[in-house]
Protein backbone atom coordinates (compact mmCIF):
# COMPACT_ATOMS: atom_id res chain seq x y z
CA UNK A 1 0.00 0.00 0.00
CA UNK A 2 2.80 2.38 0.70
CA UNK A 3 4.36 1.69 -2.72
CA UNK A 4 1.07 2.45 -4.51
CA UNK A 5 0.64 5.67 -2.62
CA UNK A 6 4.11 6.80 -3.62
CA UNK A 7 3.43 6.08 -7.30
CA UNK A 8 0.18 7.97 -7.22
CA UNK A 9 1.93 10.92 -5.59
CA UNK A 10 4.60 10.90 -8.28
CA UNK A 11 1.95 10.88 -10.98
CA UNK A 12 0.23 13.86 -9.43
CA UNK A 13 3.49 15.81 -9.27
CA UNK A 14 4.22 15.00 -12.92
CA UNK A 15 0.78 16.14 -13.95
CA UNK A 16 1.23 19.39 -12.10
CA UNK A 17 4.57 19.97 -13.82
CA UNK A 18 3.10 19.34 -17.24
CA UNK A 19 0.18 21.64 -16.51
CA UNK A 20 2.51 24.35 -15.28
CA UNK A 21 4.61 24.04 -18.44
CA UNK A 22 1.59 24.47 -20.66
CA UNK A 23 0.43 27.43 -18.66
CA UNK A 24 3.86 29.03 -18.89
CA UNK A 25 3.91 28.57 -22.62
CA UNK A 26 0.52 30.21 -22.98
CA UNK A 27 1.37 33.13 -20.74
CA UNK A 28 4.59 34.02 -22.59
CA UNK A 29 3.06 34.06 -26.07
CA UNK A 30 3.27 37.51 -27.90
CA UNK A 31 0.03 39.46 -28.28
CA UNK A 32 -1.04 40.05 -31.91
CA UNK A 33 0.16 43.46 -33.24
CA UNK A 34 -2.49 46.08 -33.86
CA UNK A 35 -2.04 48.78 -36.52
CA UNK A 36 -2.42 52.28 -35.09
CA UNK A 37 -3.90 55.29 -36.85
CA UNK A 38 -0.42 56.82 -37.08
CA UNK A 39 0.83 53.72 -38.92
CA UNK A 40 -2.10 53.86 -41.33
CA UNK A 41 -1.48 57.46 -42.38
CA UNK A 42 0.47 58.22 -45.58
CA UNK A 43 2.17 61.28 -46.98
CA UNK A 44 2.58 62.93 -50.36
CA UNK A 45 5.70 64.96 -51.14
CA UNK A 46 5.46 67.57 -53.89
CA UNK A 47 7.40 70.60 -55.10
CA UNK A 48 6.02 73.96 -56.16
CA UNK A 49 7.46 77.10 -57.69
CA UNK A 50 6.36 80.71 -57.86
CA UNK A 51 7.50 83.60 -60.02
CA UNK A 52 6.69 87.30 -59.70
CA UNK A 53 7.89 90.34 -61.61
CA UNK A 54 8.10 93.98 -60.61
CA UNK A 55 9.64 97.20 -61.78
CA UNK A 56 13.09 97.92 -60.38
CA UNK A 57 13.38 100.44 -57.55
CA UNK A 58 17.19 100.50 -57.54
CA UNK A 59 19.99 100.50 -60.11
CA UNK A 60 23.71 99.81 -60.07
CA UNK A 61 25.80 101.78 -62.58
CA UNK A 62 29.23 100.40 -63.44
CA UNK A 63 31.82 102.91 -64.64
CA UNK A 64 35.61 103.07 -64.66
CA UNK A 65 38.46 105.54 -64.77
CA UNK A 66 41.18 104.37 -67.16
CA UNK A 67 44.65 105.85 -67.70
CA UNK A 68 47.81 104.81 -69.51
CA UNK A 69 51.34 106.16 -69.71
CA UNK A 70 55.01 105.35 -69.56
CA UNK A 71 55.43 106.33 -65.92
CA UNK A 72 53.60 104.27 -63.31
CA UNK A 73 53.47 107.23 -60.92
CA UNK A 74 51.77 109.41 -63.49
CA UNK A 75 49.21 106.68 -64.22
CA UNK A 76 48.43 106.29 -60.52
CA UNK A 77 48.08 110.05 -60.03
CA UNK A 78 45.82 110.34 -63.07
CA UNK A 79 43.54 107.60 -61.73
CA UNK A 80 43.38 109.28 -58.34
CA UNK A 81 42.64 112.76 -59.73
CA UNK A 82 39.92 111.60 -62.12
CA UNK A 83 38.30 109.36 -59.51
CA UNK A 84 38.17 112.23 -57.02
CA UNK A 85 36.77 114.58 -59.64
CA UNK A 86 34.07 112.03 -60.48
CA UNK A 87 33.13 111.60 -56.81
CA UNK A 88 32.79 115.36 -56.34
CA UNK A 89 30.62 115.69 -59.45
CA UNK A 90 28.34 112.87 -58.29
CA UNK A 91 28.07 114.40 -54.82
CA UNK A 92 26.58 117.54 -56.38
CA UNK A 93 23.73 115.42 -57.78
CA UNK A 94 22.99 113.81 -54.40
CA UNK A 95 25.12 110.66 -54.70
CA UNK A 96 27.03 110.31 -51.43
CA UNK A 97 30.20 108.33 -50.71
CA UNK A 98 28.24 105.37 -49.34
CA UNK A 99 26.69 104.80 -52.76
CA UNK A 100 30.04 104.60 -54.56
CA UNK A 101 32.05 101.40 -54.19
CA UNK A 102 35.38 100.37 -55.70
CA UNK A 103 34.80 97.17 -57.66
CA UNK A 104 38.30 96.75 -59.09
CA UNK A 105 41.66 98.53 -59.12
CA UNK A 106 44.72 97.62 -61.16
CA UNK A 107 47.87 99.14 -62.64
CA UNK A 108 49.74 96.70 -64.84
CA UNK A 109 52.68 96.67 -67.19
CA UNK A 110 51.90 96.39 -70.88
CA UNK A 111 55.12 94.54 -71.73
CA UNK A 112 53.46 91.14 -71.93
CA UNK A 113 50.64 92.45 -74.12
CA UNK A 114 52.75 94.57 -76.43
CA UNK A 115 53.91 92.87 -79.60
CA UNK A 116 57.10 93.57 -81.50
CA UNK A 117 57.16 97.17 -82.65
CA UNK A 118 54.02 98.04 -80.68
CA UNK A 119 53.52 101.62 -79.58
CA UNK A 120 51.32 101.00 -76.52
CA UNK A 121 52.16 102.82 -73.31
CA UNK A 122 54.22 101.01 -70.70
CA UNK A 123 51.48 101.01 -68.05
CA UNK A 124 47.71 100.86 -67.99
CA UNK A 125 45.63 101.62 -64.92
CA UNK A 126 41.96 101.00 -64.23
CA UNK A 127 39.77 101.98 -61.28
CA UNK A 128 36.27 100.48 -61.63
CA UNK A 129 33.30 101.67 -59.58
CA UNK A 130 29.77 100.53 -58.80
CA UNK A 131 27.36 103.39 -58.13
CA UNK A 132 24.08 102.54 -56.39
CA UNK A 133 21.21 104.72 -57.61
CA UNK A 134 18.01 104.81 -55.56
CA UNK A 135 15.96 106.36 -58.38
CA UNK A 136 16.20 104.23 -61.55
CA UNK A 137 14.83 107.11 -63.64
CA UNK A 138 17.97 109.14 -62.89
CA UNK A 139 20.42 106.54 -64.20
CA UNK A 140 21.11 108.45 -67.42
CA UNK A 141 21.91 111.62 -65.48
CA UNK A 142 24.24 109.71 -63.16
CA UNK A 143 26.13 108.23 -66.12
CA UNK A 144 26.53 111.63 -67.77
CA UNK A 145 27.73 113.17 -64.50
CA UNK A 146 30.25 110.38 -63.92
CA UNK A 147 31.66 110.68 -67.44
CA UNK A 148 31.86 114.45 -67.31
CA UNK A 149 33.52 114.18 -63.90
CA UNK A 150 36.33 111.87 -64.97
CA UNK A 151 35.08 108.35 -65.78
CA UNK A 152 35.94 107.26 -69.32
CA UNK A 153 34.34 103.81 -69.45
CA UNK A 154 30.72 102.78 -68.86
CA UNK A 155 30.44 99.02 -68.34
CA UNK A 156 26.67 98.69 -67.96
CA UNK A 157 23.66 99.15 -65.71
CA UNK A 158 21.87 96.59 -63.55
CA UNK A 159 18.29 97.34 -62.53
CA UNK A 160 17.49 95.54 -59.31
CA UNK A 161 15.50 95.72 -56.06
CA UNK A 162 16.00 97.26 -52.65
CA UNK A 163 16.18 94.88 -49.69
CA UNK A 164 12.64 95.66 -48.48
CA UNK A 165 11.12 95.32 -51.93
CA UNK A 166 13.04 92.10 -52.57
CA UNK A 167 11.73 90.53 -49.35
CA UNK A 168 8.16 91.57 -50.15
CA UNK A 169 8.35 89.98 -53.61
CA UNK A 170 9.96 86.88 -52.13
CA UNK A 171 6.94 86.44 -49.87
CA UNK A 172 4.64 86.80 -52.89
CA UNK A 173 6.68 84.22 -54.80
CA UNK A 174 6.53 81.81 -51.84
CA UNK A 175 2.74 82.15 -51.67
CA UNK A 176 2.52 81.32 -55.37
CA UNK A 177 4.85 78.36 -54.82
CA UNK A 178 2.63 77.02 -52.02
CA UNK A 179 -0.45 77.35 -54.24
CA UNK A 180 1.39 75.44 -56.94
CA UNK A 181 2.39 72.68 -54.50
CA UNK A 182 -1.16 72.42 -53.14
CA UNK A 183 -2.50 71.94 -56.65
CA UNK A 184 0.06 69.21 -57.36
CA UNK A 185 -0.82 67.41 -54.12
CA UNK A 186 -4.55 67.56 -54.86
CA UNK A 187 -4.00 66.02 -58.28
CA UNK A 188 -1.89 63.18 -56.90
CA UNK A 189 -4.24 62.52 -53.98
CA UNK A 190 -7.29 62.48 -56.26
CA UNK A 191 -5.68 59.94 -58.56
CA UNK A 192 -5.16 57.58 -55.61
CA UNK A 193 -8.51 58.24 -53.84
CA UNK A 194 -6.74 59.87 -50.91
CA UNK A 195 -7.76 62.85 -48.82
CA UNK A 196 -5.29 65.56 -47.82
CA UNK A 197 -5.45 66.07 -44.05
CA UNK A 198 -2.86 68.82 -43.62
CA UNK A 199 0.76 69.86 -43.99
CA UNK A 200 3.39 67.75 -42.27
CA UNK A 201 6.40 69.95 -43.09
CA UNK A 202 7.60 72.55 -45.57
CA UNK A 203 11.06 73.55 -46.76
CA UNK A 204 12.11 76.29 -49.14
CA UNK A 205 14.54 74.88 -51.64
CA UNK A 206 15.41 77.85 -53.82
CA UNK A 207 15.20 81.61 -54.06
CA UNK A 208 16.58 83.69 -56.87
CA UNK A 209 16.18 87.06 -58.49
CA UNK A 210 17.03 88.05 -62.04
CA UNK A 211 17.95 91.73 -62.36
CA UNK A 212 17.44 93.49 -65.66
CA UNK A 213 20.70 94.27 -67.46
CA UNK A 214 20.83 97.33 -69.71
CA UNK A 215 23.35 96.53 -72.41
CA UNK A 216 22.99 99.39 -74.85
CA UNK A 217 23.19 103.11 -74.18
CA UNK A 218 21.04 105.52 -76.17
CA UNK A 219 21.47 109.25 -76.58
CA UNK A 220 18.50 111.45 -75.77
CA UNK A 221 17.32 114.54 -77.66
CA UNK A 222 19.35 116.83 -75.42
CA UNK A 223 22.52 114.80 -75.90
CA UNK A 224 22.20 113.01 -72.56
CA UNK A 225 22.25 109.28 -71.94
CA UNK A 226 18.86 107.56 -71.90
CA UNK A 227 18.44 104.16 -70.23
CA UNK A 228 15.23 102.13 -70.26
CA UNK A 229 14.72 99.73 -67.38
CA UNK A 230 12.86 96.43 -67.43
CA UNK A 231 11.14 94.12 -64.94
CA UNK A 232 13.03 92.24 -62.24
CA UNK A 233 12.05 88.58 -61.80
CA UNK A 234 11.92 86.90 -58.39
CA UNK A 235 11.53 83.13 -58.09
CA UNK A 236 10.98 80.83 -55.10
CA UNK A 237 10.55 77.06 -54.73
CA UNK A 238 9.17 74.91 -51.92
CA UNK A 239 8.98 71.23 -51.04
CA UNK A 240 5.85 70.28 -49.07
CA UNK A 241 4.96 67.01 -47.33
CA UNK A 242 1.20 66.55 -46.92
CA UNK A 243 -0.50 64.08 -44.55
CA UNK A 244 -3.16 62.00 -46.29
CA UNK A 245 -5.73 59.36 -45.42
CA UNK A 246 -7.78 57.00 -47.47
Amino acid sequence: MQRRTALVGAAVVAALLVTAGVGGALSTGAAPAQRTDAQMSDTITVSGSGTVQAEADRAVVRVAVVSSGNDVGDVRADLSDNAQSMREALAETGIDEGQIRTAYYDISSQDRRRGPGGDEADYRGLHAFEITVEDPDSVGEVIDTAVEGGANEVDGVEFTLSQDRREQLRQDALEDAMDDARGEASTVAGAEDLSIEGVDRVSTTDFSRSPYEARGLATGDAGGTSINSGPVTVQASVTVVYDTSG
Side-chain angles (χ1 to χ4, degrees), residues 30-68:
Q34 294 183 352
R35 195 176 183 186
T36 65
D37 291 341
Q39 291 173 318
M40 295 177 65
S41 65
D42 292 314
T43 60
I44 294 176
T45 302
V46 295
S47 296
S49 61
T51 302
V52 295
Q53 288 187 331
E55 290 299 319
D57 65 348
R58 176 176 290 179
V60 178
V61 177
R62 292 186 289 269
V63 299
V65 175
V66 180
S67 178
S68 59

Side-chain angles (χ1 to χ4, degrees), residues 54 88 97-98 131 159-160:
E88 292 174 355
E97 285 290 329
I131 306 169
F159 290 93
T160 183

Side-chain angles (χ1 to χ4, degrees), residues 86-100 131-135 138 141-142 145:
M86 182 195 72
R87 290 177 184 273
E88 292 174 355
L90 289 171
E92 293 180 0
T93 65
I95 303 294
D96 59 39
E97 285 290 329
Q99 295 173 254
I100 305 172
I131 306 169
T132 300
V133 182
E134 300 297 342
D135 179 13
S138 65
E141 178 186 355
V142 170
T145 301

Side-chain angles (χ1 to χ4, degrees), residues 5-237:
T5 301
L7 290 174
V8 172
V12 172
V13 172
L16 290 174
L17 289 174
V18 171
T19 303
V22 173
L26 292 175
S27 64
T28 58
Q34 294 183 352
R35 195 176 183 186
T36 65
D37 291 341
Q39 291 173 318
M40 295 177 65
S41 65
D42 292 314
T43 60
I44 294 176
T45 302
V46 295
S47 296
S49 61
T51 302
V52 295
Q53 288 187 331
E55 290 299 319
D57 65 348
R58 176 176 290 179
V60 178
V61 177
R62 292 186 289 269
V63 299
V65 175
V66 180
S67 178
S68 59
N70 294 324
D71 183 89
V72 65
D74 291 341
V75 172
R76 181 189 59 78
D78 194 32
L79 290 180
S80 178
D81 292 343
N82 286 337
Q84 182 60 31
S85 176
M86 182 195 72
R87 290 177 184 273
E88 292 174 355
L90 289 171
E92 293 180 0
T93 65
I95 303 294
D96 59 39
E97 285 290 329
Q99 295 173 254
I100 305 172
R101 184 182 74 87
T102 294
Y104 182 76
Y105 184 93
D106 176 70
I107 299 177
S108 58
S109 172
Q110 298 288 83
D111 290 341
R112 290 177 296 177
R113 303 178 185 178
R114 184 167 48 205
D119 57 356
E120 292 89 350
D122 291 341
Y123 297 96
R124 181 179 186 273
L126 181 145
H127 192 169
F129 296 90
E130 290 184 349
I131 306 169
T132 300
V133 182
E134 300 297 342
D135 179 13
D137 292 336
S138 65
V139 163
E141 178 186 355
V142 170
I143 291 174
D144 292 338
T145 301
V147 171
E148 292 168 3
N152 43 18
E153 279 191 4
V154 179
D155 296 327
V157 180
E158 178 184 287
F159 290 93
T160 183
L161 301 168
S162 62
Q163 182 63 38
D164 291 343
R165 183 61 172 152
R166 186 184 312 161
E167 182 59 29
Q168 178 185 350
L169 292 177
R170 178 177 181 271
Q171 296 299 323
D172 293 342
L174 284 173
E175 290 180 5
D176 288 350
M178 287 297 294
D179 289 341
D180 185 40
R182 193 175 298 110
E184 292 280 345
S186 296
T187 300
V188 174
E192 297 298 325
D193 293 328
L194 298 174
S195 298
I196 295 178
E197 301 298 335
V199 175
D200 181 73
R201 58 187 178 275
V202 181
S203 62
T204 57
T205 57
D206 189 30
F207 166 66
S208 64
R209 61 183 176 88
S210 301
Y212 179 82
E213 294 276 352
R215 300 295 184 182
L217 303 181
T219 302
D221 295 337
T225 302
S226 176
I227 303 291
N228 295 322
S229 66
V232 179
T233 302
V234 177
Q235 296 177 317
S237 299

